[in-house]
Amino acid sequence: MNINLTGKRALVTGGSSGIGAAIAMALSAAGARVAINYIGESKRADRMLQSIKQQHGEAISIQADISDHKAVVSMFRKLDATWDGIDILINNAGIDGVSALGWKADADAWKSVIEVNLFGAFHCASEALKRMVAQKSGVVLSTTSVHEEIAWSRHSAYTASKAAVSMMTKTLAQEAAPYGVRVLAIGPGAVKTRINRSVWDNAKRMKNLLGKIPLNRIGEPDEIASMALVLVSDAASYVTGRTIFVDGGMTDYPDFSHGG
Ligand code: BGC
């Protein structure tokens, strides 16, 4: 299948590293113009711009903290000024937060996960949909996680935020569908990025993790990016309001292969 996104205007939040960077590169390789949003590390964003230029793509970088509504509004104004709008939002930026049992969690740390993962995703989706509904086309793809469905001790803010983004996705999809705009989510399992280095860098933890993955290996960012590419393209023109899991079977609950 040949996915052609020539001329499409895409924004990838958290686009300078990990899954976001892989999606940004894939979008660019398919012909899209890509805005890389990042929060702190301008060097990584600069490197992304260079790599995209090397593959003859067009890209800009925009620094913004997506949990800050005003910063998101000005990020979208910059998109308007540069490319006169947006066709694809990859609502990807997110944090795991501090690992703690619910009754020991720090309230501010808990809140900041929700502010980035949920409020951030909402601010960006809302600004993108304003434009997409008006032009009667566009796709919002949010990165959730297997943990929108699977509980994860010591990560109640993270799991709550991802479940909330999943339900937000379904609701926004219902609102936007009459305008020909699709809103959906991609739910990665364990993917080899910085966010979970402490696991894949540690043999014992890795063994434990692999026991939870039927395909018996950790995923690569490119394996999320290739599915993201399909989902934002016309190849998925009839898909909206759902999370598509890309998780090596993690949500297939492999423990049940030993009996119920
Ligand atoms: C988390 C990773 C974790 C994976 C599977 C992801 O949402 O960000 O740290 O390895 O879920 O548990």
Side-chain angles (χ1 to χ4, degrees):
M1 193 187 343
N2 185 16
I3 291 178
N4 187 349
L5 300 176
T6 303
K8 298 279 185 199
R9 302 154 297 177
L11 167 65
V12 184
T13 67
S16 65
S17 67
I19 290 173
I23 295 177
M25 291 308 296
L27 289 170
S28 165
R33 293 174 275 180
V34 184
I36 312 278
N37 155 261
Y38 66 100
I39 184 166
E41 299 171 314
S42 62
K43 275 193 191 139
R44 278 177 173 271
D46 288 346
R47 258 183 270 143
M48 285 291 297
L49 295 187
Q50 273 169 17
S51 310
I52 288 177
K53 258 192 207 143
Q54 268 163 21
Q55 62 182 35
H56 306 294
E58 193 181 330
I60 57 168
S61 62
I62 313 180
Q63 194 278 337
D65 173 356
I66 58 158
S67 68
D68 175 351
H69 181 239
K70 281 198 187 123
V72 170
V73 169
S74 50
M75 172 163 70
F76 276 80
R77 286 211 184 110
K78 178 148 190 210
L79 280 178
D80 292 341
T82 315
W83 292 326
D84 198 22
I86 180 168
D87 302 295
I88 297 168
L89 167 65
I90 308 290
N91 224 353
N92 166 79
I95 54 174
D96 266 10
V98 182
S99 156
L101 293 168
W103 57 92
K104 291 185 178 168
D106 174 75
D108 287 334
W110 209 95
K111 197 170 155 200
S112 68
V113 174
I114 303 294
E115 277 171 351
V116 175
N117 295 5
L118 177 58
F119 279 74
F122 176 70
H123 295 327
C124 294
S126 174
E127 285 301 309
L129 287 172
K130 256 178 218 169
R131 290 152 175 89
M132 292 174 180
V133 161
Q135 74 198 11
K136 293 199 165 60
S137 70
V139 186
V140 173
L141 178 70
S142 297
T143 308
T144 62
S145 162
V146 289
H147 297 298
E148 71 166 68
E149 187 174 304
I150 304 177
W152 189 15
S153 290
R154 297 182 170 76
H155 293 89
S156 55
Y158 185 74
T159 55
S161 73
K162 295 299 184 179
V165 171
S166 167
M167 202 60 205
M168 177 185 86
T169 295
K170 292 178 187 175
T171 304
L172 296 179
Q174 205 177 68
E175 294 172 358
Y179 303 91
V181 174
R182 297 187 297 115
V183 185
L184 67 172
I186 189 164
V191 177
K192 197 170 183 185
T193 66
R194 281 190 301 171
I195 210 169
N196 54 14
R197 180 178 211 123
S198 64
V199 178
W200 53 261
D201 235 8
N202 175 305
K204 201 174 149 209
R205 285 183 171 185
M206 186 64 173
K207 189 166 178 264
N208 175 295
L209 175 67
L210 293 182
K212 299 182 171 83
I213 309 172
L215 288 184
N216 200 38
R217 64 178 178 82
I218 194 164
E220 293 296 332
D222 282 348
E223 295 181 284
I224 307 301
S226 54
M227 179 54 87
L229 206 58
V230 170
L231 293 176
V232 301
S233 77
D234 285 345
S237 52
Y238 206 49
V239 185
T240 194
R242 280 287 135 190
T243 297
I244 311 302
F245 290 107
V246 184
D247 64 356
M250 202 178 232
T251 44
D252 202 21
Y253 297 95
D255 261 0
F256 279 85
S257 62
H258 314 300

